[in-house]
Amino acid sequence: MGNWFSRWLGWVRIAAIFGLLCGLVIRVADPTPVAGLRNAAFDFYHQSKPREITPSPVAILDVDDRSLEEIGQWPWPRTRIAEMVEKATKAGAVAIAFDIVFSNPDRLSAEQIVADNPDIPTELGKKLLDLPSNDDVLANAFKSSRVIVGQTSVRSAAGNRAEKHDMIHVPHAFIGPDPMPFLLKFPDIVQNLPQLEEAAAGHGIFSARPDPDGVYRRVPIVLSVQGEVRLGLATELLRVATGGEPFAVRTNEAGIEGVVVARQLVETAHDGTLWPYLSRSSPDRYVSAADLLADRMPPGRLANHLVLVGTSAIGLEDFRATPLGVSMAGVEIHAQVLENILSQSALNRPNYTIAVELVITFLLCMLVIMFAPSIGASLLISGTMVLLMGYTAASYYLFYNSRVLLDPSFPVIATTSSVILMATVNYLREERRRREIRNAFGRYVSPDLVAQLGSNKGGLTLGGETRTLTLLFSDVRGFTAIAEDFKDDPKGLTTLMNQFLTILSNGILDYGGTIDKFMGDAVMAFWNAPLDNKDHAHAACHAALRMISDVDKFNKRRTAEARLARMRAARAEAGKEKQRRKKTEHSERKVHTINVGIGINTGKCVVGNMGTSTRFDYTALGDPVNVASRLEGQSRYYGASIILGENTANEAMNDFALLELDTIRVVGKELPENIFALVGDSTLRADPMFQEAFELNKAMHAAYRAQDWDAVSAALPKIEDLFEKLKLGLNYYAALYRGRVAEMRAEPPPPDWNGVFASTKK
């Protein structure tokens, strides 16, 4: 069981699981690119189905462009703000929250005017100083209503104020673990003037942090400022409007669950932020401050409403980028947060969501890791697409029907990455297997054929084509004697023949030949198929010379190895007699010199896949094939290692050292064939001694055909001597013709004799 599991796991799955774990760690760290993709997906959801606008007891008292035109530039006198509070309260507003901070004294107050204008007459100055300050007027207006002052956070502990005031404590409680480690933290806030802070019924923070791309997707419902837990502006407005009872922060081990305010739980993300479900901006939410102050507002417009005071005037720059892809006034975002809380329509991303996403990512990736190495690419891709589309659909369904935000991006990206990794590994593994198969297949046929079959889908079908091929047959002379010597050591014979055939194969393949088949100690090969080779006759001749040269080197190496083995056996220790005798017996086996005969012929053949629909070979058929085989068989009678047919000789005559051997009619053929011995390359052909031998041999054959036996007999000794000096190896050539001349003298040929020798042996 353990071994099976180890084999199943393998290094590929181990690497993939390690990569998966690294991916999960990255998700927990949540770098900007990961968060950015998730946010982009949520924005797409948001834009595809914004929240529908429904009637809500929330209104915005707006300092808009029309208000600035009628009343004057901002900031207005605090008395004007006090008038707004008084009129809104009289109009029935339940509570009023300011998305504005009054942190500095009103410069239009009487005392400020006196301080700024020292030339004012003393009497007038005294009268002005007797007037209440605008800030006190505003504070009195706050006291006569339920007003929530807005505060804004700053990120540096130094703040941006010359004078700091202690924060007014807002009563609260904790349900569960301490929420402070999870809350957004600000070291300081910008507060209102002390008299305004004291007169207010509530104190809310209207700060919100944008995401790295500048979009405001979350609004803090509860946060930490100077170590104090405070509510956001919209939540504080709701708390004050419902009686001002203390709020409670509910937490668990994963973070903040929500805030209990107005006797309901407002669910939040783990850090106390709320994902507002935004609708399109609507003018129905807004009441112009100018209409309120000029008593143009429709009756009952603010009755029983929660009112937020803010600015949408272009010059005041209080617009924020939203997930809907458009900017929106900051005060309207707070208004929509309040609408979400009242209608319980906020987007929901509970603090345990990340754990759910991590588990889903792990399961999806593990499915891929488990099955990818053992299934096909099409099934892997289609199966993964079904999984990911199903998960993405489930994520969107949760948003569409339950407003739950489940990240569709990271699980999909992680799973896709796993598929890419496993598919790449599968591809590399299959590529390696294909190479192994090609290498193995290439041991039987030409690598060129393997490559062509790999690229030609129709290559493995029955059928052939007519081509001019150059064919080569080789055989070992005296193989029976060699096999007889190895009758007690078949493994040794197999090793010897494998080494020998490897040498022959290398010569063929290096010159672009296709090995058709091995027949015991014989080899059949051809050129100009499956790939074109216009110099196929030359390539075959080069290959044949290389084969003879390599076999000669092989024989010399075997002789040297046998000599070395005998020397080692002779030095064997006397105490190891049995081992010495065994080594000696092995070393004293006769080292047979392997001689090879090669026949080469050129002609038109049919080449292709021959056989049955279930078993076939890539081979060549035709009369030139039979002739090449017969020429190889004739090599032993002339003492020539390589014999060429007439067509091959005509192609190679100018570039190789050729000698005419005979005109014969091989077994099974009616037409005679001029045959030639290939004895060397162009270097030997240019040798003057070879030229002399070539011309003398040519003259001898002319005399032979003319039945001038005396001239033939006179030429043979000279030819034999030149062949011996050139080491051409045609040992039986002269003796063969001497025997024929003797037979012709004894029994002259008929008058129509044309010099053709009819061979009776294959």
Side-chain angles (χ1 to χ4, degrees):
M1 183 67 177
N3 291 336
W4 173 86
F5 180 75
S6 299
R7 289 194 301 270
W8 175 86
L9 190 61
W11 69 267
V12 174
R13 287 190 173 95
I14 291 175
I17 293 172
F18 177 76
L20 170 59
L21 295 178
C22 291
L24 297 179
V25 171
I26 291 174
R27 173 60 188 89
V28 172
D30 204 24
T32 299
V34 174
L37 288 172
R38 180 174 64 253
N39 290 334
F42 291 159
D43 290 352
F44 172 77
Y45 288 180
H46 214 144
Q47 294 167 24
S48 68
K49 186 179 182 291
R51 183 170 63 91
E52 294 182 2
I53 300 175
T54 56
S56 176
V58 177
I60 299 171
L61 192 52
D62 185 22
V63 180
D64 55 6
D65 289 307
R66 185 158 58 88
S67 299
L68 296 182
E69 290 177 4
E70 291 187 16
I71 299 172
Q73 66 181 10
W74 187 265
W76 293 341
R78 301 285 163 80
T79 54
R80 186 69 70 182
I81 304 299
E83 183 182 357
M84 288 173 56
V85 172
E86 292 170 352
K87 287 193 173 186
T89 303
K90 186 177 180 181
V94 178
I96 303 168
F98 278 86
D99 188 25
I100 303 169
V101 179
F102 304 105
S103 59
N104 297 307
D106 186 358
R107 298 187 65 82
L108 298 178
S109 291
E111 69 270 21
Q112 243 355 88
I113 294 174
V114 172
D116 293 340
N117 298 276
D119 295 334
I120 292 178
T122 303
E123 291 299 324
L124 179 60
K126 288 180 179 180
K127 291 181 179 180
L128 289 174
L129 291 175
D130 290 337
L131 295 174
S133 72
N134 291 357
D135 295 316
D136 290 338
V137 173
L138 181 58
N140 290 330
F142 283 2
K143 289 178 182 178
S144 63
S145 182
R146 292 177 178 175
V147 174
I148 297 88
V149 291
Q151 300 170 334
T152 183
S153 59
V154 292
R155 298 193 182 190
S156 71
N160 62 352
R161 295 174 291 113
E163 183 181 359
K164 293 186 181 181
H165 306 282
D166 293 335
M167 293 178 59
I168 294 177
H169 179 74
V170 178
H172 61 271
F174 297 154
I175 303 173
D178 183 6
M180 296 300 288
F182 306 103
L183 291 173
L184 296 180
K185 297 176 178 63
F186 293 90
D188 198 6
I189 60 171
V190 177
Q191 299 187 79
N192 297 271
L193 294 173
Q195 62 267 43
L196 300 180
E197 291 280 335
E198 292 172 2
H203 308 80
I205 310 297
F206 58 75
S207 296
R209 288 181 181 175
D211 288 316
D213 58 359
V215 177
Y216 287 79
R217 297 183 178 88
R218 292 173 290 170
V219 176
I221 294 299
V222 60
L223 65 164
S224 171
V225 180
Q226 294 183 184
E228 281 279 339
V229 178
R230 300 295 291 271
L231 291 177
L233 184 64
T235 325
E236 179 71 352
L237 173 58
L238 179 62
R239 185 186 73 83
V240 172
T242 54
E245 294 182 359
F247 68 91
V249 182
R250 195 161 97 179
T251 59
N252 57 28
E253 296 301 326
I256 298 172
E257 291 184 26
V259 177
V260 179
V261 63
R263 299 184 180 181
Q264 68 168 313
L265 176 66
V266 180
E267 294 184 349
T268 67
H270 75 286
D271 58 356
T273 58
L274 179 138
W275 292 73
Y277 189 14
L278 301 178
S279 65
R280 302 292 182 187
S281 180
S282 172
D284 294 337
R285 292 191 180 98
Y286 290 86
V287 174
S288 174
D291 290 342
L292 174 67
L293 293 172
D295 297 324
R296 294 193 300 263
M297 184 179 69
R301 177 65 181 85
L302 297 182
N304 299 316
H305 276 60
L306 304 178
V307 178
L308 287 152
V309 181
T311 63
S312 67
I314 299 300
L316 300 181
E317 300 295 336
D318 189 33
F319 282 81
R320 303 287 184 264
T322 68
L324 294 178
V326 294
S327 295
M328 187 178 294
V331 67
E332 186 172 6
I333 294 176
H334 289 293
Q336 294 215 44
V337 169
L338 193 53
E339 291 175 358
N340 286 166
I341 295 173
L342 292 174
S343 61
Q344 297 183 342
S345 60
L347 296 176
N348 189 11
R349 187 162 169 78
N351 56 17
Y352 57 80
T353 308
I354 184 174
V356 173
E357 292 166 355
L358 290 173
V359 170
I360 291 174
T361 301
F362 180 81
L363 293 177
L364 289 175
C365 292
M366 282 303 298
L367 283 174
V368 172
I369 293 170
M370 287 173 59
F371 293 106
S374 56
I375 63 177
S378 58
L379 182 59
L380 172 63
I381 294 173
S382 59
T384 303
M385 289 182 64
V386 170
L387 281 176
L388 297 186
M389 290 173 64
Y391 170 72
T392 304
S395 171
Y396 188 76
Y397 177 83
L398 288 174
F399 162 79
Y400 193 91
N401 289 278
S402 305
R403 304 181 310 282
V404 174
L405 293 177
L406 186 65
D407 180 16
S409 62
F410 187 80
V412 169
I413 291 173
T415 306
T416 303
S417 299
S418 298
V419 170
I420 292 173
L421 171 64
M422 302 304 290
T424 300
V425 172
N426 275 357
Y427 175 80
L428 294 176
R429 183 174 61 183
E430 292 304 315
E431 187 67 18
R432 183 188 66 191
R433 288 178 178 176
R434 282 195 293 268
R435 285 197 302 269
E436 291 174 352
I437 292 172
R438 286 176 181 174
N439 291 338
F441 196 29
R443 298 175 185 273
Y444 299 93
V445 298
S446 166
D448 293 332
L449 174 59
V450 177
Q452 188 189 62
L453 293 177
S455 60
N456 180 10
K457 294 182 179 180
L460 289 174
T461 57
L462 291 176
E465 60 178 321
T466 301
R467 277 183 178 241
T468 299
L469 304 181
T470 295
L471 303 111
L472 179 148
F473 280 82
S474 73
D475 197 9
V476 176
R477 297 173 185 168
F479 178 73
T480 302
I482 297 175
E484 179 69 21
D485 195 40
F486 279 88
K487 63 182 179 180
D488 297 327
D489 185 16
K491 185 177 180 180
L493 178 62
T494 301
T495 301
L496 173 63
M497 293 312 300
N498 286 341
Q499 293 173 347
F500 166 71
L501 292 175
T502 298
I503 290 173
L504 296 185
S505 300
N506 290 339
I508 294 170
L509 296 176
D510 287 350
Y511 284 96
T514 296
I515 297 177
D516 185 300
K517 59 178 68 74
F518 295 105
M519 300 163 287
D521 59 314
V523 179
M524 174 185 171
F526 51 79
W527 280 258
N528 202 33
L531 301 182
D532 294 335
N533 185 344
K534 64 179 181 179
D535 296 324
H536 49 89
H538 290 73
C541 292
H542 281 299
L545 292 173
R546 161 82 176 275
M547 293 164 68
I548 296 300
S549 174
D550 288 350
V551 169
D552 182 59
K553 294 175 183 177
F554 179 63
N555 286 328
K556 292 178 180 178
R557 185 174 71 250
R558 290 182 63 241
T559 300
E561 290 173 353
R563 186 182 302 111
L564 180 61
R566 286 194 295 270
M567 292 173 61
R568 288 175 177 172
R571 291 196 298 268
E573 297 179 8
K576 298 180 180 180
E577 182 64 23
K578 183 177 180 180
Q579 180 180 356
R580 183 192 66 78
R581 184 165 56 253
K582 182 178 179 181
K583 288 184 178 181
T584 302
E585 289 173 356
H586 178 73
S587 62
E588 289 181 353
R589 173 181 290 152
K590 182 179 180 181
V591 179
H592 292 272
T593 299
I594 298 177
N595 294 312
V596 178
I598 297 175
I600 301 176
N601 189 40
T602 300
K604 287 188 176 182
C605 305
V606 176
V607 61
N609 296 319
M610 311 293 179
T612 69
S613 59
T614 58
R615 174 68 172 91
F616 50 81
D617 293 320
Y618 188 81
T619 188
L621 300 176
D623 184 64
V625 179
N626 299 327
V627 172
S629 176
R630 299 291 186 265
L631 294 182
E632 179 278 317
Q634 296 298 316
S635 63
R636 71 193 69 184
Y637 305 117
Y638 297 91
S641 297
I642 307 170
I643 294 183
L644 307 183
E646 185 173 1
N647 291 337
T648 307
N650 290 337
E651 294 288 334
M653 186 66 70
N654 297 326
D655 299 300
F656 293 89
L658 304 183
L659 292 170
E660 185 179 358
L661 290 181
D662 206 347
T663 301
I664 66 172
R665 184 182 296 108
V666 297
V667 176
K669 283 274 291 181
E670 292 296 328
L671 298 177
E673 181 87 15
N674 290 332
I675 62 174
F676 298 79
L678 172 62
V679 294
D681 56 14
S682 57
T683 302
L684 179 61
R685 185 179 184 282
D687 190 315
M689 185 179 295
F690 175 79
Q691 291 292 331
E692 181 183 356
F694 178 84
E695 295 298 334
L696 187 60
N697 182 66
K698 182 178 179 181
M700 186 273 289
H701 277 280
Y704 178 75
R705 294 187 184 92
Q707 302 184 32
D708 187 352
W709 313 125
D710 292 336
V712 172
S713 298
L716 286 175
K718 298 177 182 179
I719 292 173
E720 192 172 29
D721 181 60
L722 288 172
F723 284 4
E724 185 176 350
K725 290 179 179 178
L726 291 169
K727 298 180 180 179
L728 301 183
L730 294 170
N731 302 325
Y732 313 135
Y733 181 69
L736 175 69
Y737 275 94
R738 285 194 186 96
R740 287 190 186 177
V741 168
E743 292 177 2
M744 296 296 182
R745 289 182 187 274
E747 187 175 345
D752 60 349
W753 183 73
N754 56 5
V756 175
F757 176 74
S759 174
T760 59
K761 299 179 180 179
K762 297 184 179 181

